[in-house]
Amino acid sequence: MPHSKQPSHFQSLMLLQWPLSYLAIFWILQPLFIYLLFTSLWPLPVLYFAWLFLDWKTPERGGRRSAWVRNWCVWTYIRDYFPITILKTKDLSPEHNYLMGVHPHGLLTFGAFCNFCTEATGFSKTFPGITPHLATLSWFFKIPLVREYLMAKGVCSVSQPAIDYLLSHGTGNLVGIVVGGVGEALQSVPNTTTLILQKRKGFVRTALQHGAHLVPTFTFGETEVYDQVLFHKDSRMYKFQSCFRRIFGFYFCVFYGKSFWPGSAGLLPYSQPIVTVVGEPLPLPQIEKPSKEMVDKYHALYIDALHKLFDQHKTHYGCPETQKLVFL
């Protein structure tokens, strides 16, 4: 991938705001809420937890997006740091619903986050009448305050009830699923294009049940922004990573990028261009109980469409002509 211009220190700090915001909510605001229970301000956390109880099902009923949050100027600094862009190959009609495969996962999924969870790259202008929802781990929505932050950006739970709700209430909904899941994060190494997809067919079954169109996407540059330390499957570290995933739902990846000082390693990602290419929608019939053969048929068509999308654009975005998609 070609290097973009060197980002400023201010852009770098704005980029760190994204992961640090999660840490701030989890490690600072939540303990603060607990502390307030034992002060004269105890009604504040009590009211919030009462609200949380009443609002518990909202993440599975379309969420509560905020145009104000999606348009925060901080997202434009993240966009410009790499930079991040989105490329439309075909229009998406607001008269249909769509299930979008997001590939690859990468380590922090910068491309999907910036393109579908914010308006920094102009999604609403690029796809007028389409409402994007990026699905993530369900347990995030059980964490106080984190759930509000995620819903405001249009993020939804990857649970079956949440996806079913969005695909059956109105039209113009686009639900993005990172099909490879957290397991694909361990495949996130520069100069590789390995996707976990061969046995991932649930999203195709869901699309058939709702008659939603399948949309393949590929984000070039997503795996180029960090180097990752890979461990042998027999090593203690790999066993620790597997144990960590069983407990928390995602892998403890050891990765590094650059720092504020040239020539030294750090946690800042490399400023490589990231481009999400949104492919042509694949129309599906609506079948309440699709057979295994029907699921396999459209799964194969989806893989073929994704393969063609990658081959058509790879040389434009830094991949050599000889590079191939590898499906696991």
Side-chain angles (χ1 to χ4, degrees):
M1 282 284 177
H3 285 269
S4 63
K5 66 178 183 180
Q6 201 59 15
S8 67
H9 285 324
F10 182 69
Q11 285 178 314
S12 301
L13 288 170
M14 290 299 99
L15 179 73
L16 287 176
Q17 182 270 348
W18 174 33
L20 289 178
S21 63
Y22 288 94
L23 294 176
I25 291 172
F26 192 82
W27 294 109
I28 300 176
L29 293 184
Q30 292 203 66
L32 178 62
F33 257 46
I34 301 300
Y35 168 76
L36 291 178
L37 286 171
F38 303 96
T39 70
S40 59
L41 297 176
W42 64 266
L44 292 178
V46 168
L47 286 173
Y48 175 77
F49 287 121
W51 159 255
L52 183 64
F53 176 77
L54 296 173
D55 194 55
W56 192 251
K57 293 292 185 180
T58 298
E60 295 185 351
R61 295 172 180 168
R64 185 172 46 250
R65 67 200 298 115
S66 166
W68 175 65
V69 172
R70 288 175 58 84
N71 282 281
W72 280 354
C73 65
V74 65
W75 312 136
T76 64
Y77 293 111
I78 295 176
R79 175 199 66 197
D80 295 339
Y81 175 91
F82 294 97
I84 298 173
T85 55
I86 188 170
L87 175 66
K88 177 177 70 172
T89 60
K90 293 288 181 180
D91 289 331
L92 299 182
S93 170
E95 297 179 1
H96 303 288
N97 284 326
Y98 303 90
L99 197 55
M100 175 179 64
V102 177
H103 312 277
H105 184 288
L107 282 165
L108 294 179
T109 324
F110 286 112
F113 163 78
C114 197
N115 286 315
F116 306 124
C117 300
T118 81
E119 289 296 330
T121 57
F123 180 92
S124 294
K125 294 180 180 178
T126 305
F127 297 99
I130 302 297
T131 304
H133 304 266
L134 185 65
T136 191
L137 296 174
S138 301
W139 71 267
F140 283 146
F141 295 92
K142 303 183 189 304
I143 306 175
L145 301 179
V146 170
R147 66 193 295 274
E148 321 299 341
Y149 175 64
L150 291 175
M151 284 194 292
K153 294 190 294 185
V155 179
C156 69
S157 167
V158 77
S159 68
Q160 193 65 49
I163 296 172
D164 286 340
Y165 184 96
L166 289 168
L167 295 179
S168 60
H169 285 72
T171 59
N173 288 312
L174 174 73
V175 181
I177 299 177
V178 187
V179 182
V182 293
E184 206 170 79
L186 287 183
Q187 307 297 327
S188 181
V189 180
N191 303 314
T192 62
T193 45
T194 303
L195 306 180
I196 298 177
L197 186 57
Q198 290 282 21
K199 297 182 180 179
R200 302 290 174 94
K201 301 179 181 181
F203 73 105
V204 178
R205 181 179 299 277
T206 298
L208 282 166
Q209 289 172 338
H210 293 278
H213 294 193
L214 284 175
V215 180
T217 71
F218 193 90
T219 300
F220 293 91
E222 188 67 60
T223 60
E224 307 297 319
V225 297
Y226 279 117
D227 286 303
Q228 181 175 188
V229 181
L230 300 181
F231 301 94
H232 192 274
K233 291 188 177 181
D234 294 329
S235 67
R236 291 183 178 180
M237 189 60 194
Y238 185 85
K239 292 176 181 178
F240 167 74
Q241 289 178 313
S242 300
C243 179
F244 189 92
R245 185 201 173 179
R246 287 194 294 271
I247 296 172
F248 296 102
F250 59 93
Y251 283 104
F252 182 90
C253 296
V254 180
F255 60 91
Y256 61 93
K258 64 179 184 179
S259 72
F260 289 102
W261 296 273
S264 59
L267 291 179
L268 283 172
Y270 303 121
S271 51
Q272 302 277 22
I274 295 176
V275 183
T276 298
V277 182
V278 181
E280 181 178 359
L282 176 64
L284 269 65
Q286 185 169 7
I287 305 173
E288 184 178 352
K289 295 182 179 179
S291 64
K292 180 181 181 300
E293 292 73 22
M294 188 64 70
V295 172
D296 289 345
K297 171 187 174 181
Y298 283 99
H299 183 261
L301 289 174
Y302 177 84
I303 287 182
D304 184 58
L306 179 61
H307 208 288
K308 289 179 179 177
L309 182 72
F310 176 78
D311 285 342
Q312 288 171 0
H313 296 276
K314 62 183 179 182
T315 57
H316 296 292
Y317 300 113
C319 296
E321 181 66 41
T322 55
Q323 188 150 340
K324 304 293 183 183
L325 276 183
V326 178
F327 297 109
L328 300 180

